[in-house]
Amino acid sequence: MQAGPDPKRKRKATPRPDLYEVSHLSDPGKAMTAELKSPISHQDAFLEAYRCLLCGGPLTPAPCMLACPAKVDVPSFIGAISVGEPIEAAEIILDDNPLGGTCARVCPTEELCEGSCVLNSTQQRPVDIARLQRYAIDQAFKEGDLLVPQRPQPNKMRVAVIGAGPAGITGAFELAKLGYKVTLYDSRPATGGLVRCAIAPYRQLVDPLEQETARLWELGVEFRLTTMVDARLKEELESSCAAILLAIGMGEDASAGCEGDKFKGVFPSLRFIERIKATNYPKVGKVAVIGGGNTAIDVAREAVRLGASEVTVLYPRHAEETTLFSVDYEEAVEEGVQFAWLTSPVKYEGNGSVTAVRCMRMMLGDPGSSGRHRFSPVDGSEFLIEVDTVVEAIGQLPRAEFLSQIPGIELTAGLVKVNPETGETGNGMYFAAGDALNGGATVVEAVRLGKVAAAGIHQKLMGQAIDN
Ligand SMILES: Cc1cc2nc3c(=O)[nH]c(=O)nc-3n(C[C@H](O)[C@H](O)[C@H](O)COP(=O)(O)OP(=O)(O)OC[C@H]3O[C@@H](n4cnc5c(N)ncnc54)[C@H](O)[C@@H]3O)c2cc1C
């Protein structure tokens, strides 16, 4: 069954044959490195920038700007490109979003800025904001210009940021801009969090994370990488810092709980993608992907690029109840990914290695408190799908153990509860941002939350409000 997400709920994807080619999928060598939002030439950037109506103004911001969680001033940066000033454009972008280059590659722009472009209402293709944003930042970084703001007068207050993913990078950057002495901790050896290790390589491999990180360094942020903040270090930070920003994201993949999940060929989604990112490509033939979110789609599309002969996504409800972005769904279908709706795995069959997924058809019951329908198995509906690879992509678990060691922090289903205006937790020393609050959303949402928390810390420590 191939019913897609409800078109009434989500904007239909605008076909972009000039920007998106399926043909490269037949060449596995090319397929693994081909980017979805590839760079454009100077000339194409000019031409595309001229399509922008530069709508909005100080009193009525443009719809694209309103749709951007980081509040990037889109008309101003596109205006700068149209007069041949890409570096100025990059400065405008980075002023609002220290991960502007990353977001140009990974943001669901079709749902955000480009989805709100006024050209959509005139039946025209929206301005390709993502690729213009990428163009501007690439130009600046290529010229070695990191566009680092001037170092402010230090205010001598120390803030620790735990987690160097998008929320932590943004929080650290904003706090350093305000004069705080910021130390950024991460258990991993490099910055970027999920961007470096989980976001599908056809969106972003690594660049421009290095330059985005270097900007923090230039601004005076201290890095403590390969450093897990445990109970002991946490206590040390509590006594030496004026505030602590928790930007710890989510933990390991949740398990579907099927018997046989230790068989060779069964992967949690993060491990599967991490291997692809490290060019240690798993060998795949027939692949089942368990889950119906954007990670499941990325895994399925990466499996196609790895040369899988068949890729089937299993989801227990109808298509309309997924969190999929419709453009990704449509492109996945175009690439040959199949969807088995109302289907759940009950067991992985095999003998050391997985050979099949035993599935059951599901029927839907009442909507639960979230509005999504409960589902239950249809008696006697068992069937087998032959596979050699299963990837479970049903979300990540919260870092509840670490969080429960911090007194006063309130958790809802393992997620940190904060004042949404300030990012302050129930423990006045701790602020929080990113996936740890929402269970996993987007990079640009983590950027927004990082900005909110940095402003919240500044307001608390200095009594000064910042308009984000
Ligand atoms: C497979 C996958 C694909 C995705 N694709 C996209 C996409 O295409 N576009 C998009 O916009 N978003 C995507 N996302 C979502 C996006 O990656 C996240 O929303 C974003 O990275 C969240 O940022 P964060 O800073 O909150 O957390 P993270 O990126 O998870 O960073 C948290 C960091 O904290 C560190 N940490 C945790 N605990 C400690 C500790 N105690 N001590 C020290 N360090 C610690 C971790 O090592 C990690 O580096 C995807 C997510 C996944 C899982």
Side-chain angles (χ1 to χ4, degrees):
M1 185 179 138
Q2 289 277 6
D6 181 2
K8 279 187 238 119
R9 186 165 66 90
K10 289 172 179 169
R11 190 178 68 80
K12 182 126 177 45
T14 312
R16 308 202 301 182
D18 53 329
L19 310 180
Y20 173 73
E21 266 184 56
V22 182
S23 57
H24 65 254
L25 294 178
S26 55
D27 176 349
K30 249 170 139 191
M32 294 317 294
T33 51
E35 292 174 287
L36 282 187
K37 290 178 181 168
S38 52
I40 43 176
S41 65
H42 291 298
Q43 193 188 0
D44 284 349
F46 275 130
L47 293 175
E48 191 61 15
Y50 270 111
R51 294 184 63 242
C52 178
L53 302 181
L54 305 179
C55 45
L59 298 178
T60 52
C64 50
M65 187 172 166
L66 289 174
C68 173
K71 294 280 171 288
V72 169
D73 186 347
V74 176
S76 294
F77 94 70
I78 294 185
I81 293 175
S82 72
V83 295
E85 297 290 351
I87 311 294
E88 187 187 323
E91 199 163 8
I92 294 167
I93 297 160
L94 292 170
D95 196 38
D96 290 310
N97 183 353
L99 289 171
T102 286
C103 283
R105 290 159 173 81
V106 308
C107 256
T109 46
E110 299 82 1
E111 308 281 327
L112 297 172
C113 53
E114 292 172 16
S116 308
C117 176
V118 291
L119 293 185
N120 287 304
S121 58
T122 59
Q123 312 310 316
Q124 294 179 68
R125 176 172 69 75
V127 174
D128 194 344
I129 298 169
R131 289 170 104 203
L132 287 174
Q133 180 159 321
R134 173 172 181 167
Y135 166 77
I137 305 263
D138 282 356
Q139 290 309 307
F141 288 171
K142 240 186 251 165
E143 290 189 14
D145 195 343
L146 292 176
L147 300 165
V148 182
Q150 251 196 332
R151 276 200 194 199
Q153 198 64 24
N155 69 19
K156 299 201 170 60
M157 285 206 214
R158 188 165 174 230
V159 179
V161 177
I162 309 178
I169 287 180
T170 306
F173 189 77
E174 295 296 313
L175 288 162
K177 266 200 316 196
L178 292 165
Y180 292 90
K181 179 150 187 47
V182 182
T183 312
L184 183 55
Y185 294 84
D186 205 296
S187 51
R188 294 175 187 273
T191 58
L194 290 176
V195 175
R196 189 179 291 268
C197 66
I199 286 189
Y202 62 32
R203 297 190 197 281
Q204 178 170 358
L205 255 178
V206 176
D207 279 347
L209 258 183
E210 307 303 7
Q211 289 99 326
E212 287 170 337
T213 303
R215 298 180 77 238
L216 270 72
W217 180 260
E218 295 287 330
L219 205 52
V221 172
E222 258 181 57
F223 289 80
R224 293 275 186 281
L225 300 177
T226 328
T227 305
M228 172 64 94
V229 177
D230 54 11
R232 189 195 52 75
L233 182 51
K234 180 180 75 64
E235 265 177 38
E236 229 176 276
L237 299 179
E238 283 168 357
S239 59
S240 60
C241 294
I244 298 175
L245 173 55
L246 288 170
I248 57 175
M250 297 286 283
E252 294 298 306
D253 273 271
S255 157
C258 291
E259 192 184 324
D261 63 0
K262 298 288 177 285
F263 283 147
K264 195 165 171 257
V266 179
F267 294 87
S269 67
L270 294 183
R271 190 148 56 80
F272 186 76
I273 298 184
E274 213 161 346
R275 273 192 58 176
I276 300 175
K277 283 233 179 201
T279 64
N280 175 16
Y281 302 132
K283 281 208 171 64
V284 295
K286 292 185 176 179
V287 181
V289 182
I290 318 297
N294 294 300
T295 299
I297 281 281
D298 275 349
V299 164
R301 296 179 70 188
E302 288 293 356
V304 171
R305 284 160 176 74
L306 286 170
S309 57
E310 224 173 272
V311 182
T312 311
V313 176
L314 312 184
Y315 185 68
R317 299 185 178 89
H318 278 304
E320 311 79 75
E321 296 197 40
T322 63
T323 52
L324 290 179
F325 297 129
S326 54
V327 66
D328 292 335
Y329 168 77
E330 284 160 24
E331 288 178 0
V333 170
E334 202 179 331
E335 289 171 10
V337 174
Q338 302 183 56
F339 290 80
W341 307 116
L342 293 172
T343 303
S344 270
V346 287
K347 187 179 175 193
Y348 304 139
E349 304 286 350
N351 183 11
S353 297
V354 67
T355 54
V357 181
R358 186 167 292 280
C359 301
M360 282 189 91
R361 294 272 177 231
M362 296 288 130
M363 58 184 174
L364 298 182
D366 296 335
S369 53
S370 66
R372 294 161 96 198
H373 288 88
R374 297 175 213 281
F375 52 87
S376 56
V378 175
D379 284 344
S381 66
E382 271 189 33
F383 66 102
L384 285 178
I385 300 180
E386 271 181 37
V387 296
D388 52 40
T389 307
V390 174
V391 186
E392 295 189 337
I394 57 172
Q396 296 168 260
L397 299 168
R399 298 189 193 270
E401 198 190 322
F402 176 73
L403 291 167
S404 64
Q405 296 169 4
I406 306 171
I409 289 204
E410 215 182 312
L411 301 179
T412 310
L415 303 179
V416 184
K417 225 172 142 186
V418 295
N419 174 342
E421 307 288 322
T422 62
E424 187 169 359
T425 70
N427 176 327
M429 168 161 244
Y430 283 88
F431 288 69
D435 281 6
L437 310 189
N438 54 35
T442 55
V443 171
V444 72
E445 181 59 10
V447 166
R448 183 186 78 78
L449 293 167
K451 286 167 77 175
V452 167
I457 290 172
H458 190 54
Q459 165 104 55
K460 174 128 188 186
L461 298 182
M462 298 298 222
Q464 289 168 15
I466 301 171
D467 187 12
N468 268 324

